[in-house]
């Protein structure tokens, strides 16, 4: 049996085709510039790579093309082999507390949360409708970034603001990257054969968030009402004093949207280094002695370390710290910079064990008070697993 795992953006559609029970990825790819000039797609399978330009007027055309290519290249023998499609959906508000089978009624309910995720939710839903149109007999499942964090209690997800803002407008911490944090918790608890683990999961890529998990329940996470909150990221500021926003508006004549845009797109590693949002560029700059890159790296590592220390307190002592996503999986320098800043917790990195990229490994010393693991995340597999469970 095969399951498609899909992440639709406003002009893109990313897919992974996963086979069960082996859980192997048999094909993956990306459709780009949908509805624009110069649309194209890439499909990887069996060591081969298809790159083609083609007019892709909308997401349905992209989905039809995908199906045609899967059959033409014998990646699937017939459409019947695809038994379900799992969709990444950014926001399910407080309503969706688990992954769910999708139909038109459910999509209408999800649309209520579009204003909470205006860049992603409408596009995610567009992707679902495209599959419903092209493959009307295949079941679709929605897997939300927010659901894992729905296990937080009121005292944990509320902001200390007028309570009516929560009851009237839904202002609360929602948290994101839930599918990744859930995958990491599942992986480490299966590996250590324990379901009562207290885990500090650090998802650090271009976007980034930390999550404190106690026995599978989220106790806190660093992203908030939107993904702008928490740690410093590639282009996002993370937490700042909100009074900065009206102050900058007055000084620059920017609108609130423009300031928020700068906090989302021009801050973080990019804002401080003045060079790049990419950890590799900033690392190269720092190695060449660029002071702003060194400053950006130090700030980035320190913000993450501070949250780890806070979460260790919140969990009353963590059992495991995990690092994942682009930076966590690949940058030994940043991993070391972070771990060196939590020595007060008795955590120590083993430089030899840390010398690798992109694998599941323990990187702490034998006498480290809390073990630190690098675990490659796999949101696509998590989406496919949920889909399999719901369609079975
Ligand atoms: P993600 O959002 O998880 O795909 O992560 C993407 C980010 O990972 C990139 O923007 C880079 O900043 C970072 N990254 C990937 N490889 C490395 C590396 N070897 N060193 C530092 N950062 C890296």
């Amino acid at each position: 049996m095969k399951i498609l795992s899909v992440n639709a953006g406003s002009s893109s559609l990313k897919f992974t085709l996963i086979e069960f029970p082996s859980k192997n990825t048999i094909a993956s790819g990306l459709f780009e510039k949908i509805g624009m000039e110069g649309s194209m797609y890439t499909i990887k399978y069996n060591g081969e790579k298809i790159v083609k330009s083609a007019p892709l007027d909308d997401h349905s055309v992209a989905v039809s093309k995908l199906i045609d290519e899967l059959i033409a290249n014998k990646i699937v023998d017939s459409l019947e082999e695809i038994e379900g499609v799992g969709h990444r959906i950014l926001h399910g508000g407080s309503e969706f507390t688990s992954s769910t089978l999708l139909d038109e009624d459910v999509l209408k309910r999800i649309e209520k949360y579009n204003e909470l995720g205006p860049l992603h939710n409408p596009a995610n839903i567009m992707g679902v409708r495209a599959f419903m149109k092209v493959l009307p007999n295949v079941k679709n499942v929605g897997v939300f970034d927010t659901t894992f964090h729905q296990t937080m209690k009121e005292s944990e997800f509320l902001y200390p603001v007028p309570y009516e803002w929560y009851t009237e407008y839904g202002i609360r911490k929602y948290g994101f990257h839930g599918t990744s944090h859930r995958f990491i918790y599942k992986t480490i608890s299966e590996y250590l054969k324990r379901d009562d683990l207290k885990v500090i999961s650090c998802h650090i890529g271009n976007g980034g968030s930390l999550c404190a998990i106690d026995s599978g329940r989220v106790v806190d996470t660093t992203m908030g009402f939107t993904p702008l909150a928490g740690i410093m990221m590639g282009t996002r500021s993370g937490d700042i004093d909100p009074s900065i926003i009206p102050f900058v508006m007055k000084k620059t004549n920017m609108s609130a949207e423009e300031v928020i845009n700068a906090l989302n797109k021009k801050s973080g590693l990019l804002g401080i280094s003045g060079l790049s949002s990419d950890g590799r560029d900033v690392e190269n700059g720092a190695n060449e002695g660029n002071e702003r890159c060194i400053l950006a790296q130090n700030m980035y590592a320190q913000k993450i370390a501070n949250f780890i220390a806070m979460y260790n307190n919140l969990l009353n002592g963590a059992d495991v710290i995990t690092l994942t996503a682009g930076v966590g999986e690949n940058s030994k320098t940043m991993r070391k910079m972070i771990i060196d800043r939590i020595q007060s917790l008795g955590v120590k990195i083993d430089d030899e064990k840390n010398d690798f990229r992109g694998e599941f490994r323990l990187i702490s010393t034998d006498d480290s008070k809390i073990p630190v693991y690098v675990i490659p995340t796999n949101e696509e597999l998590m989406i496919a697993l949920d889909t399999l469970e719901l369609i079975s």
Side-chain angles (χ1 to χ4, degrees):
M1 136 170 350
K2 297 180 178 78
I3 305 268
L4 263 174
S5 183
V6 171
N7 186 351
S10 54
S11 64
S12 67
L13 190 142
K14 224 163 115 178
F15 77 91
T16 309
L17 184 66
I18 299 173
E19 187 169 48
F20 286 93
S22 71
K23 297 182 189 168
N24 290 335
T25 293
I26 48 179
S28 64
L30 175 66
F31 288 72
E32 292 172 272
K33 298 194 176 175
I34 299 172
M36 297 158 78
E37 287 284 307
S39 45
M40 58 173 289
Y41 58 92
T42 313
I43 298 176
K44 290 186 204 160
Y45 71 103
N46 232 347
E48 309 267 329
K49 189 171 171 183
I50 303 168
V51 183
K52 283 188 190 168
S53 298
L56 302 170
D57 291 346
D58 59 26
H59 284 69
S60 312
V61 177
V63 173
S64 299
K65 261 280 171 268
L66 164 61
I67 301 303
D68 291 347
E69 289 285 3
L70 291 179
I71 290 176
N73 292 287
K74 300 199 169 19
I75 301 168
V76 297
D77 292 329
S78 76
L79 285 185
E80 280 69 51
E81 275 181 51
I82 302 172
E83 299 213 15
V85 184
H87 299 263
R88 182 251 177 159
I89 297 181
L90 180 82
H91 221 303
S94 302
E95 183 178 343
F96 290 93
T97 55
S98 60
S99 300
T100 183
L101 276 168
L102 299 172
D103 60 22
E104 198 45 49
D105 284 348
V106 178
L107 288 185
K108 292 235 158 57
R109 277 162 53 207
I110 298 171
E111 275 174 341
K112 285 192 297 194
Y113 307 105
N114 281 3
E115 67 173 356
L116 296 175
L119 296 181
H120 294 91
N121 259 38
N124 301 152
I125 292 169
M126 198 151 59
V128 179
R129 290 215 168 95
F131 276 92
M132 285 177 165
K133 187 172 160 192
V134 179
L135 300 176
N137 298 322
V138 178
K139 287 183 181 154
N140 292 279
V141 168
V143 180
F144 304 84
D145 273 38
T146 46
T147 52
F148 189 44
H149 306 300
Q150 287 299 315
T151 51
M152 282 188 286
K153 298 177 190 161
E154 198 179 49
S155 59
E156 293 158 348
F157 68 65
L158 279 184
Y159 292 111
V161 296
Y163 191 78
E164 296 71 34
W165 292 7
Y166 165 54
T167 51
E168 299 280 319
Y169 312 121
I171 290 177
R172 49 160 289 178
K173 180 178 281 207
Y174 289 104
F176 300 89
H177 293 141
T179 309
S180 174
H181 291 301
R182 186 157 58 98
F183 177 81
I184 297 297
Y185 182 80
K186 178 176 150 61
T187 306
I188 193 67
S189 58
E190 283 172 4
Y191 178 75
L192 297 173
K193 299 189 175 58
R194 279 180 59 183
D195 56 12
D196 62 343
L197 282 177
K198 293 189 279 186
V199 178
I200 301 173
S201 167
C202 309
H203 177 111
I204 44 176
N206 187 33
S209 69
L210 270 59
C211 188
I213 308 162
D214 187 350
S215 312
R217 186 181 85 77
V218 175
V219 180
D220 198 7
T221 189
T222 56
M223 282 181 168
F225 180 64
T226 72
L228 182 54
I231 59 172
M232 174 174 167
M233 306 173 217
T235 62
R236 294 192 193 114
S237 62
D239 292 347
I240 60 159
D241 181 342
S243 305
I244 293 167
I245 298 170
F247 189 86
V248 172
M249 287 169 68
K250 265 194 216 132
K251 289 280 178 197
T252 61
N253 280 326
M254 282 200 265
S255 65
E257 284 73 27
E258 286 169 326
V259 179
I260 289 291
N261 193 48
L263 294 173
N264 268 304
K265 304 246 172 83
K266 295 182 179 157
S267 302
L269 282 177
L270 173 63
I272 297 299
S273 71
L275 186 82
S276 171
S277 61
D278 192 299
R280 287 160 290 203
D281 297 337
V282 175
E283 205 168 308
N284 290 339
N287 290 340
E288 287 160 11
N290 180 320
E291 293 291 340
R292 293 263 300 273
C293 289
I294 295 169
L295 179 65
Q297 271 194 319
N298 283 325
M299 286 173 65
Y300 186 88
Q302 191 63 53
K303 305 272 176 207
I304 294 169
N306 291 351
F307 273 110
I308 294 176
M310 184 175 120
Y311 283 176
N312 187 60
N313 181 55
L314 186 63
L315 292 168
N316 202 15
D319 296 313
V320 186
I321 296 167
T322 59
L323 302 172
T324 194
V327 178
E329 291 168 29
N330 296 305
S331 174
K332 60 180 179 183
T333 308
M334 190 47 71
R335 292 196 293 248
K336 181 169 171 57
M337 288 181 74
I338 295 165
I339 305 304
D340 280 351
R341 283 166 174 74
I342 49 171
Q343 287 181 32
S344 68
L345 307 181
V347 181
K348 289 187 222 157
I349 194 157
D350 182 320
D351 290 333
E352 265 176 43
K353 289 186 192 162
N354 184 41
D355 192 9
F356 71 99
R357 289 182 49 187
E359 285 172 38
F360 181 114
R361 286 212 203 165
L362 178 73
I363 58 167
S364 48
T365 58
D366 292 342
D367 64 344
S368 174
K369 212 161 160 205
I370 309 172
V372 183
Y373 288 86
V374 173
I375 306 179
T377 195
N378 194 341
E379 289 158 282
E380 294 78 16
L381 176 59
M382 198 72 239
I383 290 172
L385 284 167
D386 281 9
T387 304
L388 181 66
E389 192 182 318
L390 281 165
I391 63 170
S392 298

